[in-house]
Amino acid sequence: MNIFRLAADMTHLASVLVLLLKIHTIKSCAGVSLKTQELYAIVFATRYLDIFTSFVSVYNTFMKLVFLGSSFSIVWYMRYHKAVQRTYDREQDTFRHWFLVLPCLLLALLIHEKFTFLEVLWTFSLYLEAVAILPQLVLLQRTRNIDNLTGQYIFLLGGYRGLYILNWIYRYFTEPHFVHWITWIAGLVQTLLYADFFYYYFLSWKNNKKLQLPA
């Protein structure tokens, strides 16, 4: 554990809390992509299967349970909660997200560090997480007007990935033989997908205007 890893985890946790705050308090999921949330649920479900086979620390187990529970609860609220589901924009959130799943699975079967069941699923979760934000970004471009909580949620998600890159750089220079190309490339791709959003987010902050993305 280092300061960059801890900051990344806390930023990721903050993003989840912001989204849950919006859903629970305002009873709204406007501007939030159910497609992306379903992909994240798959990501965590496949990544954290080792929770049943290995124990790293109380902190590690706690964070895994938090991300598993929060991702599935968000999907449930958006699909089945009467008040929340009415605010979901089905007409705009039409990205065919299931088409991302199979290519990521095939890639995990072909490119992995070790050919075991848990390792392939873990690698699959890395590839899928790298592109899971795509439906959300497409939805934001279509709706253009983005409320503060949704904007903060996406900003924190992107920030979490950026901090993880700093964590990898730190570990590369401080830990011998720390080389994980699959994790690094997937994380870099994911971070780059946020570049356009970050640009307009900082513009809106600098000019003190409402966040809008170009169509």
Side-chain angles (χ1 to χ4, degrees):
M1 180 65 71
N2 59 69
I3 187 63
F4 300 113
R5 165 71 185 276
L6 181 61
D9 286 347
M10 293 302 102
T11 304
H12 194 186
L13 182 60
S15 72
V16 173
L17 292 176
V18 165
L19 184 54
L20 286 173
L21 175 68
K22 173 175 179 170
I23 291 175
H24 283 273
T25 306
I26 308 177
K27 295 294 186 295
S28 171
C29 64
V32 179
S33 170
L34 175 60
K35 315 292 187 181
T36 284
Q37 298 307 317
E38 288 176 339
L39 292 178
Y40 278 137
I42 296 172
V43 165
F44 296 130
T46 52
R47 180 174 301 173
Y48 296 147
L49 285 174
D50 64 347
I51 200 171
F52 300 107
T53 61
S54 60
F55 176 79
V56 178
S57 66
V58 173
Y59 171 83
N60 183 272
T61 301
F62 173 76
M63 294 299 283
K64 288 177 180 179
L65 291 174
V66 167
F67 290 127
L68 276 168
S70 60
S71 61
F72 280 96
S73 66
I74 290 168
V75 171
W76 182 87
Y77 265 93
M78 293 183 69
R79 278 191 169 274
Y80 303 111
H81 191 281
K82 290 183 179 180
V84 176
Q85 68 172 187
R86 284 198 296 267
T87 64
Y88 171 53
D89 193 350
R90 290 178 176 81
E91 294 183 359
Q92 297 289 348
D93 190 24
T94 58
F95 191 101
R96 297 184 179 182
H97 61 320
W98 299 120
F99 287 163
L100 297 174
V101 175
L102 183 57
C104 289
L105 180 58
L106 292 175
L107 188 60
L109 289 169
L110 292 172
I111 304 176
H112 46 261
E113 292 186 359
K114 189 188 300 182
F115 190 67
T116 64
F117 179 72
L118 289 180
E119 185 70 23
V120 168
L121 286 182
W122 180 80
T123 306
F124 161 72
S125 76
L126 292 179
Y127 295 148
L128 188 60
E129 186 183 15
V131 295
I133 195 63
L134 282 173
Q136 179 65 68
L137 295 177
V138 170
L139 176 61
L140 294 184
Q141 284 186 319
R142 288 176 177 174
T143 56
R144 297 195 64 189
N145 290 316
I146 305 166
D147 65 78
N148 288 334
L149 287 178
T150 303
Q152 290 169 11
Y153 165 66
I154 306 301
F155 175 78
L156 289 168
L157 269 183
Y160 133 73
R161 292 314 313 176
L163 286 167
Y164 250 95
I165 290 178
L166 295 178
N167 163 60
W168 296 331
I169 294 172
Y170 174 83
R171 294 183 65 184
Y172 178 79
F173 286 106
T174 58
E175 297 180 19
H177 312 297
F178 181 75
V179 178
H180 297 283
W181 288 108
I182 292 175
T183 305
W184 293 352
I185 294 173
L188 182 60
V189 168
Q190 184 179 358
T191 305
L192 289 175
L193 289 176
Y194 288 92
D196 190 57
F197 173 84
F198 276 130
Y199 173 75
Y200 288 101
Y201 185 92
F202 283 115
L203 275 185
S204 70
W205 174 78
K206 179 181 178 181
N207 299 321
N208 197 25
K209 293 182 179 180
K210 186 176 178 62
L211 176 60
Q212 288 185 326
L213 296 183

